Amino acid sequence: MKRLCALLVISALVFPNCAARGPAIANQRVADPPELWRSYAEKLPIGSVVRIRTSDGDHLRASLLVVDGTGITVKPTTRVSEPARHLAFDRLDQLEIEPLNGGPGARAAAIGIGVATGVGAFFGTLFITCLLTGCLGG
């Protein structure tokens, strides 16, 4: 019995993802109909920043300029200016408004910066106080 348990533990450590992969058919994605993308895009405010993933695998962040019957026209927000692109609805895999607060890690980053600033101010004040009172042996 001990050998069987040891064999199971060893095989779980050596082959951790065998059961998690599932059948190969699960990796195939069914595309959403273009009418669904059109009705969603028509509700988005013009000028909003959107995140887009196309069926070709391209990812981009862009400003929404025009929504018409065939697709959307967007202006990519990149460091180097790019011309506006027209993307047909049948090429879209993802279209969503980018959150205004900077994303999911923005709050944690702000809290971390605040804590670090407070700790730095405390130890800086403590160090200056020790220098002025002579407790550092100077």
Side-chain angles (χ1 to χ4, degrees):
M1 185 66 178
K2 288 182 182 180
R3 288 185 182 182
L4 178 64
C5 289
L7 184 63
L8 289 175
V9 170
I10 290 171
S11 63
L13 291 174
V14 173
F15 306 108
N17 292 329
C18 286
R21 288 186 190 151
I25 213 162
N27 293 334
Q28 296 175 353
R29 190 182 170 290
V30 177
D32 294 322
E35 295 82 28
L36 180 68
W37 288 117
R38 184 172 35 80
S39 65
Y40 176 70
E42 288 173 347
K43 295 176 185 173
L44 297 177
I46 299 298
S48 60
V49 178
V50 293
R51 287 187 288 203
I52 301 169
R53 185 178 66 227
T54 64
S55 57
D56 303 336
D58 294 334
H59 294 267
L60 65 132
R61 182 176 175 259
S63 297
L64 184 64
L65 299 178
V66 178
V67 178
D68 57 17
T70 60
I72 58 173
T73 302
V74 294
K75 175 115 173 100
T77 53
T78 57
R79 290 184 198 165
V80 179
S81 182
E82 291 185 16
R85 296 185 195 178
H86 185 271
L87 300 170
F89 289 123
D90 58 352
R91 289 187 54 213
L92 293 179
D93 272 351
Q94 176 186 10
L95 174 65
E96 62 183 23
I97 292 182
E98 186 161 298
L100 296 176
N101 62 1
R107 178 180 283 175
I111 290 171
I113 290 171
V115 168
T117 302
V119 169
F122 172 75
F123 283 112
T125 305
L126 183 67
F127 180 71
I128 290 173
T129 303
C130 287
L131 280 179
L132 295 177
T133 59
C135 66
L136 291 179

